[in-house]
Amino acid sequence: MQTVRVVILDDLGRPVLEGIEKFELVLRMPVNAALGEPSKAMVSINDSASDLPKMQFKERVYTCNEDDARVVAMIYRSGDVQHRSSVRCYTRQASAQVMIDFEERPNTDVSIVTFLPGETEKPCVLELMDDDIHEAVEELQLVLGTPQSSSAFGAAVGEQNETLIKIQDDADKAVIKFGETKFSVTEPSKPGESVVVKIPVVRQGDTSKVSIVRVHTKDGSATSGEDYHPMSEAEGHLQISSSTFCSKACYSGFNKTHHEVEFKEGETQHIVEIEVVFDGVREMREAFTVHLKPDENMVAETQATKAIVYIEEVNSMADVTFPSVPHIVSLLIYDDTSKAKENAGPVSGYPVVCIMACNPKYPDYDKTGSICASENINDTLTRYRWLISAPAGPDGVTSPLREVDFDTFFTSSKTITLDSIYFQPGSRVQCAARAVNADGNEGLELMSPIVTIDREEGLCQPRVPGVVGAEPFSAKLRYTGPEDPDFANLIKLTVTMPHIDGMLPIISTRELSNFELTLSPDGTRVGNHKCSNLLDYNEVKTHHGFLTNATKNPEVIGETYPYQYSVLVRGSSTLRFYRNLNLEACLWEFVSCYDMSELLADCEGTIGTDGQVLNLVQSYVTLRVPLYVSYVFHSPVGVGGWQHFDLKSELRLTFVYDTAILWNHGIGSLPEAELQVGVLGKFLQKISTQDGDSEPSMSMSMASEPSPAQF
């Protein structure tokens, strides 16, 4: 037996209902056989089921909201769509009720949905009925029935002839919230005045039930009792918009109090009033918050439960603000900040400057200058402070920034420039600036980006990079002679020492200690170190000192570096100290002159004979002056903020006198003794004998000038 396979072609693309169609299969021309019966077979093709127009819902479930007004359920027609078809789309109620939740579509011809030839989708529209009562999700069904078609073969409904309609009622859900979440009120300008901020508490949705919510205030930057009156627990249930407030004494110490707001049936809004008072303090904008707690009756949902109340100052600090953050550059390029190298910090060994947006030297001053003028900012009154961190270690770990709050006797940490003694190569530096307007009102403080002092470039770098310590110095003591035009017949003390970036040289004839106090502007250094470079020219008690009122080295012509001698930028006291530094040679030279009395009385000097006799007619005495030298470096992490390397030496000067008489106790320096250099180049000392009233004088010839002491 053999099987014959016949392929039937279906018109799936555009189905056409054709009814039963037939064709025959006939056996012919047998080979090596004879035809038997039956030799014909009739094949019938019936498309009355596959191509019959069928109508059904496109989705099984439709979800809508009660306030949507209508819901549209789509009916899909398949099969032969060349003819007109229709179907009834009617409702069948469940938990949703007719004429309460929706308009009925009856199972009659008024509910017919008609498909014209060629149409495959048609809507079945169900009208919803909205009310103010909150209800749970309700359901009903749409059903298809009574299919009809203009075709002789009729029409049918598909398997999905029902769809479920779910009606949600979120809009009618009772919700209690603040009418707004942000409020702004201007603080009263006079004592005793107050203003009231009104905060609406609204209820939306179903208002048929009673709800009770609690409202309380909470401090932010504004403080209850000082900036505003909080709501008191004594207020109880509020049913109207008015509020009562207690005196300051009844809520003293509380920063969170509350009252209850009761919504009765049909009520939709209450007003909470909070009183803002004058506090007499000029400050930034302050704020406090108002909060809603859940409905005690668990009927309504609370939303937008937090509102912020801003108390605006009449003249707030925010009104005085620089339009941009400051920048730090080296004072070397103060006039042209475009010279700053990308990704390279200021050079070490020279001050840095904090350039504000209202400074004409600011890079974008052409844009910020007009803003500064409109805000009436006076750049000369800007308040500065500086932050420093120690250089990063070999592992790259950095130290936190710390404010430089230490002023020395010749520098300040609160000016536009920061002296180079405060930082080393690799230090991180940041400046903070606070704007001040022409009336003297201070504004907000802005911080500059952090810069790192260049490790490669410096004016006076150490011999070994990254290593600091005590370098050799030279000190000499000599007699000036009678012919010196400025310092005749005095003892001249000269100290010369090399300079490295960030170093502060300190010299004194008394031992140095407690540098945190010694370097400060405190007056104790004036009494303890009378012969020292710690004293400014107006603090010197001797006839001369290491520092004078001059601010420029007379041996230097012009400015070798920008603003090196600018009093306005660096300050006069700073320049008086740096006058002793030859920055080109990286060399400090401190010079002062003293008479013998000052060396003995103020500079810790002593005179002794040591029993030394040259011959029968001459002996000599020696003047000894102690010298203490410290190399000081600022350290944000060091004890007291300073690290120092200390050296000690003694300078000696020998005098020869023309007598062989030595007293038992030698020649000493009594407090009332007067020792001076005579006009003939001899030292004269007036002495008194114990058994006579005369005051014989003794002539002392000074020996040859000693060579300078090297250390």
Side-chain angles (χ1 to χ4, degrees):
M1 184 178 68
Q2 295 290 332
T3 300
V4 178
R5 184 175 181 181
V6 180
V7 177
I8 306 298
L9 300 178
D10 193 6
D11 51 0
L12 287 176
R14 299 185 64 181
V16 176
L17 183 60
E18 300 169 310
I20 298 176
E21 298 175 303
K22 300 179 180 180
F23 67 92
E24 285 185 333
L25 290 176
V26 180
L27 296 176
R28 293 283 179 90
M29 301 178 66
V31 177
N32 299 323
L35 292 175
E37 291 296 335
S39 61
K40 295 182 180 180
M42 182 68 68
V43 179
S44 298
I45 303 174
N46 188 0
D47 63 352
S48 59
S50 61
D51 291 342
L52 185 69
K54 290 183 180 179
M55 292 161 284
Q56 59 185 343
F57 287 110
K58 199 170 185 179
E59 305 289 343
R60 289 188 178 275
V61 179
Y62 288 90
T63 302
C64 60
N65 291 314
E66 188 177 86
D67 59 349
D68 288 342
R70 61 175 59 188
V71 59
V72 177
M74 298 303 297
I75 303 174
Y76 175 72
R77 181 173 68 158
S78 60
D80 188 357
V81 297
Q82 299 182 49
H83 301 278
R84 180 188 180 98
S85 302
S86 64
V87 68
R88 289 182 183 179
C89 179
Y90 58 92
T91 56
R92 183 180 295 164
Q93 73 176 14
S95 56
Q97 300 181 9
V98 175
M99 303 310 295
I100 296 178
D101 300 305
F102 64 93
E103 291 185 7
E104 183 181 15
R105 292 181 63 96
N107 188 9
T108 63
D109 287 347
V110 298
S111 301
I112 286 180
V113 176
T114 301
F115 289 85
L116 298 178
E119 292 182 338
T120 58
E121 288 187 359
K122 294 289 284 187
C124 177
V125 180
L126 175 66
E127 300 292 337
L128 303 178
M129 303 186 70
D130 193 9
D131 56 29
D132 295 330
I133 307 300
H134 177 63
E135 301 162 317
V137 177
E138 297 175 309
E139 298 179 350
L140 72 147
Q141 287 181 322
L142 284 176
V143 183
L144 297 179
T146 316
Q148 295 180 350
S149 176
S150 60
S151 169
F153 300 99
V157 294
E159 295 181 0
Q160 200 164 287
N161 64 330
E162 293 184 359
T163 187
L164 180 65
I165 306 297
K166 293 185 176 181
I167 304 175
Q168 298 177 341
D169 195 12
D170 295 338
D172 290 333
K173 187 175 184 179
V175 175
I176 298 177
K177 63 180 182 178
F178 288 118
E180 298 179 23
T181 57
K182 293 182 180 180
F183 299 86
S184 180
V185 61
T186 302
E187 180 181 311
S189 58
K190 297 180 181 179
E193 293 184 351
S194 63
V195 293
V196 174
V197 55
K198 296 183 178 181
I199 302 176
V201 182
V202 298
R203 178 169 65 168
Q204 299 174 341
D206 189 357
T207 61
S208 62
K209 298 179 181 178
V210 176
S211 293
I212 299 175
V213 293
R214 291 173 179 251
V215 182
H216 69 84
T217 57
K218 187 176 181 181
D219 287 354
S221 55
T223 304
S224 60
E226 297 179 3
D227 300 300
Y228 70 96
H229 288 173
M231 292 166 287
S232 171
E233 292 178 310
E235 294 177 28
H237 296 264
L238 291 185
Q239 300 180 15
I240 56 177
S241 62
S242 62
S243 301
T244 57
F245 301 95
C246 63
S247 65
K248 182 176 180 179
C250 78
Y251 54 76
S252 176
F254 290 89
N255 68 345
K256 185 187 293 184
T257 55
H258 67 269
H259 67 250
E260 294 178 343
V261 178
E262 180 179 359
F263 286 90
K264 291 187 175 181
E265 183 178 350
E267 290 183 340
T268 59
Q269 177 173 291
H270 283 284
I271 300 296
V272 175
E273 298 182 352
I274 302 177
E275 190 176 12
V276 176
V277 297
F278 174 77
D279 63 358
V281 179
R282 183 179 177 274
E283 52 209 344
M284 295 174 55
R285 180 174 71 169
E286 298 177 297
F288 64 92
T289 54
V290 187
H291 298 262
L292 275 178
K293 289 191 173 182
D295 182 8
E296 294 184 359
N297 293 341
M298 302 180 67
V299 172
E301 178 185 351
T302 53
Q303 298 178 358
T305 59
K306 176 181 176 181
I308 302 177
V309 180
Y310 295 102
I311 303 177
E312 306 285 353
E313 294 283 335
V314 177
N315 292 310
S316 68
M317 294 179 67
D319 294 336
V320 188
T321 306
F322 287 117
S324 183
V325 297
H327 294 301
I328 297 177
V329 298
S330 173
L331 193 58
L332 292 171
I333 58 173
Y334 185 35
D335 287 331
D336 187 4
T337 56
S338 63
K339 294 181 180 179
K341 297 180 181 179
E342 188 176 356
N343 299 325
V347 300
S348 61
Y350 208 68
V352 291
V353 59
C354 184
I355 307 179
M356 290 308 307
C358 295
N359 188 327
K361 298 185 184 297
Y362 191 74
D364 295 325
Y365 184 73
D366 56 335
K367 301 176 183 178
T368 61
S370 59
I371 302 176
C372 297
S374 64
E375 294 189 7
N376 203 20
I377 295 177
N378 187 344
D379 187 56
T380 61
L381 301 178
T382 302
R383 302 282 299 274
Y384 298 93
R385 64 187 184 94
W386 293 85
L387 296 92
I388 296 287
S389 78
D395 55 359
V397 177
T398 59
S399 302
L401 288 167
R402 299 185 181 182
E403 182 175 354
V404 182
D405 56 359
F406 185 87
D407 294 343
T408 69
F409 63 95
F410 71 98
T411 63
S412 173
S413 59
K414 299 295 185 289
T415 61
I416 188 173
T417 57
L418 183 68
D419 195 81
S420 59
I421 66 169
Y422 289 102
F423 53 83
Q424 315 328 300
S427 296
R428 295 190 303 147
V429 183
Q430 184 180 36
C431 76
R434 188 183 301 276
V436 181
N437 63 15
D439 298 328
N441 297 323
E442 297 182 7
L444 297 177
E445 184 179 70
L446 296 182
M447 308 293 291
S448 74
I450 300 173
V451 300
T452 302
I453 302 300
D454 200 314
R455 292 180 179 270
E456 304 297 330
E457 291 192 40
L459 301 186
C460 297
Q461 294 182 307
R463 288 178 294 177
V464 180
V467 177
V468 296
E471 299 286 341
F473 71 93
S474 170
K476 60 183 178 180
L477 196 65
R478 73 176 183 88
Y479 169 59
T480 60
E483 297 179 357
D484 191 294
D486 299 317
F487 308 103
N489 298 318
L490 295 178
I491 306 299
K492 188 174 185 179
L493 174 58
T494 304
V495 180
T496 305
M497 52 201 307
H499 174 66
I500 60 176
D501 295 337
M503 185 190 84
L504 172 58
I506 300 299
I507 59 176
S508 177
T509 58
R510 294 192 65 178
E511 186 173 1
L512 296 160
S513 62
N514 191 2
F515 283 89
E516 185 176 7
L517 180 63
T518 301
L519 298 178
S520 71
D522 188 83
T524 55
R525 62 186 166 78
V526 179
N528 292 335
H529 301 277
K530 298 178 181 179
C531 304
S532 166
N533 66 345
L534 291 167
L535 305 185
D536 205 349
Y537 83 101
N538 55 356
E539 298 173 324
V540 175
K541 303 304 180 183
T542 56
H543 290 90
H544 306 282
F546 289 105
L547 304 186
T548 67
N549 61 351
T551 58
K552 184 176 180 180
N553 192 328
E555 298 178 1
V556 178
I557 301 176
E559 282 191 336
T560 57
Y561 296 98
Y563 297 95
Q564 184 176 1
Y565 302 110
S566 173
V567 175
L568 292 178
V569 176
R570 302 188 64 185
S572 56
S573 61
T574 301
L575 296 185
R576 285 194 292 268
F577 188 86
Y578 278 103
R579 174 188 176 274
N580 301 279
L581 172 62
N582 185 338
L583 199 52
E584 287 289 325
C586 295
L587 199 65
W588 291 93
E589 184 178 64
F590 293 97
V591 179
S592 184
C593 293
Y594 302 96
D595 58 34
M596 288 295 296
S597 297
E598 291 170 342
L599 288 173
L600 297 175
D602 298 324
C603 302
E604 306 297 317
T606 59
I607 286 183
T609 63
D610 295 332
Q612 301 178 42
V613 179
L614 288 179
N615 48 51
L616 293 177
V617 295
Q618 287 186 323
S619 296
Y620 63 89
V621 295
T622 301
L623 169 67
R624 291 180 173 86
V625 179
L627 182 64
Y628 297 88
V629 178
S630 291
Y631 296 76
V632 184
F633 297 87
H634 182 262
S635 173
V637 296
V639 178
W642 301 95
Q643 291 180 339
H644 50 93
F645 303 90
D646 305 321
L647 298 176
K648 176 186 177 182
S649 182
E650 184 180 74
L651 302 180
R652 291 178 293 178
L653 194 59
T654 300
F655 309 104
V656 179
Y657 58 92
D658 298 330
T659 180
I661 302 174
L662 290 176
W663 287 266
N664 293 330
H665 301 288
I667 299 178
S669 57
L670 298 176
E672 67 274 9
E674 181 180 346
L675 192 63
Q676 65 184 31
V677 178
V679 295
L680 298 178
K682 298 181 178 181
F683 283 97
L684 302 178
Q685 181 182 29
K686 292 183 179 180
I687 60 175
S688 299
T689 59
Q690 293 182 347
D691 56 351
D693 298 330
S694 63
E695 296 183 358
S697 62
M698 179 183 299
S699 175
M700 301 183 190
S701 299
M702 189 178 71
S704 61
E705 181 179 326
S707 60
Q710 297 288 338
F711 305 92

